[in-house]
Amino acid sequence: MIYNLSLQTAGYIAGFFLAILGLWGLIQPDSSQSAARSLPRSRIAGFVLFTIAFFWSFWLLATMEMGEFSGFRKPLLFALPVIFLLVLRYVDEFLAARSLGIVFLLAAEPLLDAAFFRSERSRLLVTVFAYLLIVAGLFWVTMPYLLRDQINWSARSNSRWRIAHGIAFLYGAAILTCAVTRY
């Protein structure tokens, strides 16, 4: 175990993330739509998200057990900052979308780790959310324009936007309820 995160803590984190995101989209659809539409090409968001992903990856690489691949640790610890700087310099097209995908991929592992070997059926709420993060992250890293297309599709009408954020809020509320009562 790398993170030592309990299922209850993972439930609180995932539930609050979904509930806050859902509430923002329900209460202020116009401001949340404009923020979401500007996200995929935002240089500031791309820099911030990619920096978070870099430090998280660097920490994982420095501390995790690598087994027979431990000989690669030092070269990778040297190469990761070089790659970070090169990406910031030369890859600015949809950097925020790609970085959000990387953060989603990194965030899924602690959620899955917290639900591993737990007997409660309600753990599947956290597990399904983690796998949704993985699928979205894989698509956004490899095809970042899909994030823009998904945002434009869901923001085409206020009712579609509110339905999507209502589902996110209800899912977050369900995870929070299970975190309080079951985990």
Side-chain angles (χ1 to χ4, degrees):
M1 293 179 68
I2 300 171
Y3 295 100
N4 294 323
L5 195 66
S6 70
L7 183 58
Q8 185 176 35
T9 306
Y12 283 139
I13 293 168
F16 279 126
F17 173 75
L18 285 170
I20 289 170
L21 185 70
L23 270 180
W24 184 38
L26 286 172
I27 294 172
Q28 296 180 341
D30 295 331
S31 67
S32 62
Q33 284 178 13
S34 65
R37 283 188 172 132
S38 66
L39 176 70
R41 291 189 183 266
S42 172
R43 291 178 188 257
I44 295 170
F47 175 78
V48 169
L49 288 169
F50 195 62
T51 303
I52 291 169
F54 164 70
F55 282 113
W56 195 343
S57 301
F58 193 84
W59 172 75
L60 280 175
L61 188 59
T63 59
M64 69 189 270
E65 178 59 40
M66 295 180 68
E68 62 189 47
F69 298 105
S70 61
F72 293 113
R73 185 184 314 268
K74 286 185 183 178
L76 288 173
L77 285 173
F78 175 76
L80 197 62
V82 172
I83 293 169
F84 171 73
L85 294 173
L86 289 173
V87 167
L88 286 180
R89 173 73 172 109
Y90 295 108
V91 183
D92 63 343
E93 187 73 17
F94 287 115
L95 181 61
R98 293 177 199 275
S99 301
L100 185 62
I102 294 169
V103 169
F104 274 19
L105 289 171
L106 288 168
E109 201 279 329
L111 297 177
L112 290 173
D113 191 38
F116 192 61
F117 279 134
R118 292 297 297 255
S119 61
E120 303 94 345
R121 289 176 100 69
S122 56
R123 79 184 185 291
L124 295 176
L125 289 171
V126 175
T127 304
V128 167
F129 178 61
Y131 281 112
L132 289 173
L133 290 177
I134 290 169
V135 170
L138 287 172
F139 276 107
W140 295 345
V141 168
T142 58
M143 296 178 283
Y145 58 87
L146 288 179
L147 175 61
R148 178 200 60 203
D149 295 345
Q150 291 163 349
I151 291 170
N152 287 337
W153 180 85
S154 62
R156 192 164 292 147
S157 69
N158 272 346
S159 60
R160 192 180 288 180
W161 186 258
R162 287 178 189 257
I163 288 171
H165 282 81
I167 291 169
F169 175 74
L170 291 175
Y171 196 71
I175 292 175
L176 280 174
T177 302
C178 289
V180 170
T181 61
R182 297 190 182 265
Y183 305 150

